[in-house]
């Protein structure tokens, strides 16, 4: 049986990494085969592309170049890691996927939702996640959570207006893809967010096995 492709989305500081890590550990303890990965990155080529995109010295990077690099990194990660794991029946849990490009490049960089969607569907062979968990937190609260990080990457240095536009982009993502996206209130405690996310994933696994 084929596996599942589940993504976590949300603004910077919404807790994707800690929630995904805890959820993967719990699924692993329950005996599921789980692959935890992230975008941009997850494999050597895509981590190299990540370093180029996020390097603070790349101030000259054009918005379309940035969008294409995210899509290129996504393509390689899918082909090398995600697709094979799904074929093996694994549950792939990925922090960020094409919804991030729609929000950050489509709205944040103002390249347009449908323009960014079209280069991404080329990159993904029209594949969407089976389910996306959106960790919902106000973007200003998310940024405040990250404010004591010593290293600020190129995206972290963006203006608050950029992050407000990203938030509008996510609203559009939620509207367009309501059937695949589950919203979890990420302003709650970490334990509550982990439990709510895990419950959604277990429901999906159950629906799939009883279908
Ligand atoms: P991360 O900090 O969640 O690992 O992501 C790195 C940054 O890259 C984050 O600010 C969001 C941004 N990003 C995009 O702008 N577009 C994308 O498609 C992805 C995957 C991430």
């Amino acid at each position: 049986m084929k596996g599942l492709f589940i993504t976590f989305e949300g603004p910077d500081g919404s807790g994707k990494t800690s929630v995904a890590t805890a959820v993967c550990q719990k699924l692993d303890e329950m005996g599921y085969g789980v692959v935890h990965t992230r975008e941009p990155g997850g494999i050597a080529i895509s981590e190299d592309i990540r370093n180029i995109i996020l390097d603070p010295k790349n101030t000259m990077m054009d918005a379309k170049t940035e969008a294409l690099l995210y899509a290129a990194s996504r393509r390689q990660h899918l082909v090398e890691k995600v697709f094979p794991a799904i074929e093996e029946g694994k549950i792939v849990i990925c922090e960020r996927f094409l919804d991030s490009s729609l929000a950050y490049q489509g709205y944040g960089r103002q390249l347009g939702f449908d323009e960014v969607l079209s280069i991404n569907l080329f990159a993904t062979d029209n594949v969407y996640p089976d389910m996306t968990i959106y960790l919902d937190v106000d973007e200003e609260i998310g940024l405040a959570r990250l404010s004591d990080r010593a290293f600020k990457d190129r995206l972290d240095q963006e203006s608050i207006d950029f992050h407000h536009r990203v938030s509008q982009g996510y609203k559009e993502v939620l509207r367009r893809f309501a059937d695949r996206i589950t919203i979890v209130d990420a302003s709650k405690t970490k334990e509550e967010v982990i439990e709510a996310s895990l419950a959604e994933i277990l429901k999906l696994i159950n629906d799939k096995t009883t279908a």
Side-chain angles (χ1 to χ4, degrees):
M1 194 161 69
K2 281 204 177 176
L4 288 171
F5 181 31
I6 297 166
T7 60
F8 276 89
E9 289 284 350
D12 294 272
S14 54
K16 290 177 296 302
T17 301
S18 52
V19 174
T21 302
V23 162
C24 286
Q25 196 185 329
K26 284 174 189 279
L27 288 169
D28 182 60
E29 285 163 7
M30 294 163 111
Y32 293 106
V34 186
V35 173
H36 179 193
T37 190
R38 71 165 181 181
E39 278 203 3
I43 48 153
I45 292 174
S46 301
E47 289 288 339
D48 285 351
I49 298 174
R50 176 188 179 94
N51 290 335
I52 294 170
I53 300 172
L54 297 180
D55 188 338
K57 82 172 185 313
N58 285 336
T59 51
M60 292 294 288
M61 190 178 292
D62 170 76
K64 287 188 181 177
T65 305
E66 181 185 279
L68 290 163
L69 285 173
Y70 277 115
S73 141
R74 177 160 303 133
R75 169 81 193 162
Q76 189 65 28
H77 179 242
L78 271 179
V79 169
E80 226 185 293
K81 190 167 181 180
V82 177
F83 289 157
I86 293 171
E87 281 301 317
E88 282 174 27
K90 299 267 170 57
I91 300 172
V92 178
I93 307 252
C94 184
E95 295 171 38
R96 299 193 180 280
F97 190 58
L98 93 171
D99 299 320
S100 285
S101 284
L102 298 172
Y104 283 78
Q105 282 64 55
Y107 270 65
R109 298 284 187 227
Q110 299 176 297
L111 291 178
F113 192 98
D114 289 305
E115 288 77 355
V116 174
L117 183 59
S118 93
I119 61 160
N120 274 281
L121 293 180
F122 172 69
T124 66
D125 297 331
N126 298 311
V127 167
Y128 287 97
D130 294 295
M131 181 171 75
T132 298
I133 296 178
Y134 181 73
L135 298 184
D136 190 18
V137 70
D138 183 90
E139 64 275 20
E140 299 206 15
I141 294 174
L143 289 176
R145 286 179 182 170
L146 300 180
S147 60
D148 54 355
R149 266 193 197 170
F151 176 74
K152 299 253 183 290
D153 66 37
R154 198 172 56 83
L155 272 280
D156 291 334
Q157 294 175 359
E158 280 303 327
S159 67
I160 191 67
D161 284 349
F162 174 82
H163 290 284
H164 288 320
R165 289 197 299 275
V166 170
S167 175
Q168 290 309 309
Y170 269 130
K171 288 204 173 77
E172 181 63 10
V173 167
L174 297 178
R175 201 180 62 75
R176 293 246 207 147
F177 301 117
D179 48 344
R180 106 177 123 79
I181 305 188
T182 298
I183 302 173
V184 168
D185 180 355
S187 66
K188 295 202 168 151
T189 66
K190 191 174 143 186
E191 285 65 35
E192 286 173 313
V193 179
I194 292 165
E195 283 312 316
S197 302
L198 182 64
E200 293 296 341
I201 293 171
L202 292 175
K203 200 157 48 161
L204 179 72
I205 295 171
N206 188 48
D207 288 351
K208 198 188 169 204
T209 45
T210 55

